[in-house]
DNA sequence: CATGAATGAGGTTTCATTCAT
DNA sequence: CATGAATGAAACCTCATTCAT
């Protein structure tokens, strides 16, 4: 098994099991919180013994790592074409916000789970991995978009890293909190409101 | 002891111990994360036996509750005069952002700890209390400020709850993440950038 | 495991472990008293880690409950045929006393343990479960026997509940105390003495 | 303090405190059971700090020992004149049963507490002191009464120790259990029923 | 591949006891 | 004499992990 992990060569059936386990972990975490997501609970949800998880993943850490990796990949695949379809910086910003909202509607549990893991999970060093992977993910992309918009004169001069950070937490955090406070919130219109705010905050000519 | 808790009458020396324990809990949580903040660890930090904590707090839950209560009180006392000093809505928004940044600089660990507790801690029902208390705290205040600004014509028409949520997570989340990613970040200028963005996003005449 | 508990379907090997653990608990309790019967002690006696007990029983409460259940079942199976073999009320009373003595000789520790648990154990509500299950067990049976004997004219008119209570504590308590005071007491002749006393106390014609 | 204990010379006020503490221990044990009778609980009931108990009693063991000693003394003082007033063995047996019932009605908590302590408490050697003191107390007295009755020809020939044991547990155990099962039971008539049974079981001429 | 059984470290909490004030 | 504060041992329980089958 560990050999497989190192070589990266995995059976088809094994890949399926890993995917199933990750999905169950996602659901358990999203529904009951990270603290309740014990190996036993995840195994029960998957209908398998908890030792199966240990068989397929070296560690609970590895499972969480893979969970996050999966989520990030899904998110990226979801977002990328929407960003590419927009020629202007303003369009890309809007697409980022509304696309993220759409992603969160589609993959709600996955998004909630990633947030939980990011905040509660511990890295290999034992220190919390707060927002290491997931929030860093689109940072370069966002900064690039904003920077290009400034160069082209479309966007005003602001600190690119600050604005990128604000954008990121607007979608990964603000919307999630809003949804958690009121599960019936309309993410679509919520995203449009945010998009407008960002358009005003970033455009060049006031 | 529980009698004390119920009556609310506490010795001076007891109040001091409670404060000390809370402070140590804050430091441990901020530095090592919630998961590492065991009673033993907090006790070790305070130089006392872990049972002393049980002596002064009924529960680990009560300790965390008091920690959050303390932090919220401190934050409120810090922010309120700064908001009151500003007559205009724009001024209050700016004060909210910069004041929060200043608070975070002054009480860094306390703020980090509250975030950790909010995300990782479990309520009495066993369910995570994700950001229940701390983030809800200033929600009415913010919404009131924004609403009044719209009524007076100073601010444009936007969804008050969305903008309030964005403001809130900008200070409680965006800045924290930025600081965590790069501890040397200048919160002051970071806050000014944010304040500008919000000024543009909320003012009435574009 | 809890799944097993709920479904009631248990492996053969698991049933064996449970029986072993219960037996060890019985021995520890009988020899050292309830207060000394910690999980660690029971585990040590069984040659297993204490967590194994937690694996097989949800709770210490469940362990004690199962212990009592086992003892009561054993006792009933032991006594029932002896009672059924006697046609007369006097015969049944004698069989009850002597049969119980025989049971106590055969399952000494088990009987001692049940007494300890009955007196020291706490129910789920935290209140002592003094003699709830074990002593109530044969109450209806005894009262029925005595009542039938009165109806048939074989026994005199007395308060059935008082006499049943006396009978019950004569076997569950008097004999135990006697044995505890002097471990070499001859339970057989002790029982015969008791049987005679009850025959005289209950028969119709003086 | 320990000097006082050893010398046996105690202040008046000290004696009063000890009596008060013992009484509170009795009440707590009778009402909540031995397991709930912690030093803190007893102290709370007495309105004093738990360390006061440690000041007046060397040990929790000593407290329990004194509690039992007090109860036994009270019981003896209560019973002795009633026994002495009866010239015949049958009269003494009846007086023992009914007198004990009366005692239990008068000092209910004390009696319940002694039973709890007898069954749950641990002796200095760490072994349970199950009924060592209290049940042994009147054993010689009872046996003497029965023996004398046999010698005088008033009582039939039975094993004195068995009958004494039965009498003892009839009052210390049977009645208590009856009262515990149904707090409204009439101990007086209960005792009369028992007295009749023992009269029939012990008299010489059938 | 999968499982049930077992483990041991570690967490929270309780409690009798001690001690300076 | 009495108190509040502190202690440390010990109890129960949880959980990630390992292993023989």
């Amino acid at each position: 098994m560990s050999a497989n992990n190192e070589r990266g060569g995995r059976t088809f059936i094994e890949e399926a099991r890993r995917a199933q386990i990750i999905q169950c972990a996602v659901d358990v975490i999203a529904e009951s919180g990270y603290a309740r997501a014990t190996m036993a609970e995840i195994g029960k949800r998957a209908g398998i013994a908890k030792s199966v998880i240990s068989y397929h993943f070296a560690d609970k850490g590895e499972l969480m790592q893979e969970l996050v990796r999966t989520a990030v990949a899904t998110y990226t695949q979801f977002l990328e074409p929407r960003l590419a379809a927009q020629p202007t910086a303003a369009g890309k910003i809007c697409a980022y916000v509304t696309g993220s909202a759409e992603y969160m509607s589609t993959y709600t549990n996955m998004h909630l789970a990633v947030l939980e893991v990011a905040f509660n999970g511990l890295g290999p060093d034992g220190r919390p991995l707060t927002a290491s992977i997931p929030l860093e993910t689109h940072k370069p992309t966002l900064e690039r978009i904003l920077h290009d918009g400034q160069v082209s004169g479309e966007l005003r001069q602001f600190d690119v890293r600050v604005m990128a950070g604000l954008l990121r937490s607007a979608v990964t955090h603000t919307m999630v909190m809003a949804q958690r406070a009121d599960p019936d919130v309309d993410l679509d219109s919520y995203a449009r409101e945010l998009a407008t705010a960002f358009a005003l905050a970033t455009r060049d000519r006031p």
Side-chain angles (χ1 to χ4, degrees), chain A:
Chain A
M1 178 73 295
S2 53
N4 275 347
N5 284 343
E6 287 155 18
R7 293 193 292 100
R10 268 187 275 272
T11 323
F12 165 76
I13 198 171
E14 195 171 308
E15 209 61 67
R17 261 276 185 266
R18 284 172 68 98
Q20 179 208 11
I21 291 170
I22 289 175
Q23 185 56 48
C24 292
V26 161
D27 291 341
V28 170
I29 293 172
E31 290 169 21
S32 310
Y34 185 84
R36 291 281 169 92
T38 68
M39 299 266 114
E41 199 60 38
I42 297 171
K44 185 188 293 179
R45 168 79 57 133
I48 58 179
K50 62 185 166 189
S51 51
V52 180
I53 306 176
S54 292
Y55 179 76
H56 285 284
F57 295 89
D59 230 338
K60 190 177 188 180
E62 206 210 61
L63 169 57
M64 294 308 158
Q65 203 172 304
E66 288 301 297
L67 186 156
V68 171
R69 201 196 308 262
T70 303
V72 169
T74 307
Y75 186 26
T76 303
Q77 281 183 355
F78 192 92
L79 210 52
E80 228 161 47
R82 282 167 175 80
L83 293 181
Q86 299 294 330
T88 65
K92 286 179 196 292
I93 290 172
C94 180
Y96 174 73
V97 174
T98 57
S100 294
E102 201 181 337
Y103 166 77
M104 279 173 52
S105 296
T106 316
Y107 301 96
T108 311
N109 274 2
M110 185 159 271
H111 188 69
L112 291 176
V114 167
L115 264 199
E116 287 278 334
V117 173
F119 271 90
N120 301 35
L122 298 180
D125 52 353
R127 308 225 39 223
L129 48 79
T130 317
S132 60
I133 305 175
L135 301 186
E136 298 299 320
T137 306
H138 296 288
K139 197 179 166 189
T141 306
L142 275 177
E143 294 188 355
R144 161 68 54 114
I145 290 171
L146 296 175
H147 178 73
D148 289 352
Q150 288 180 327
V151 169
S152 75
E154 187 186 347
L155 305 182
R156 71 177 175 88
Q157 294 302 317
F158 45 73
D159 187 315
V160 165
R161 287 173 311 179
V162 172
M163 191 62 73
L166 185 58
L167 263 166
R168 222 167 46 217
S169 53
V171 303
T172 61
H173 193 261
T174 313
M175 283 202 291
V176 174
M177 288 299 111
Q179 192 182 35
R180 200 161 260 202
D182 172 16
D184 296 331
V185 71
D186 179 8
L187 280 185
D188 231 43
S189 60
Y190 203 104
R192 275 198 303 274
E193 276 287 328
L194 285 178
T196 303
F198 278 106
L200 293 171
T202 57
R203 69 176 175 177
D204 183 37
R205 309 207 349 117

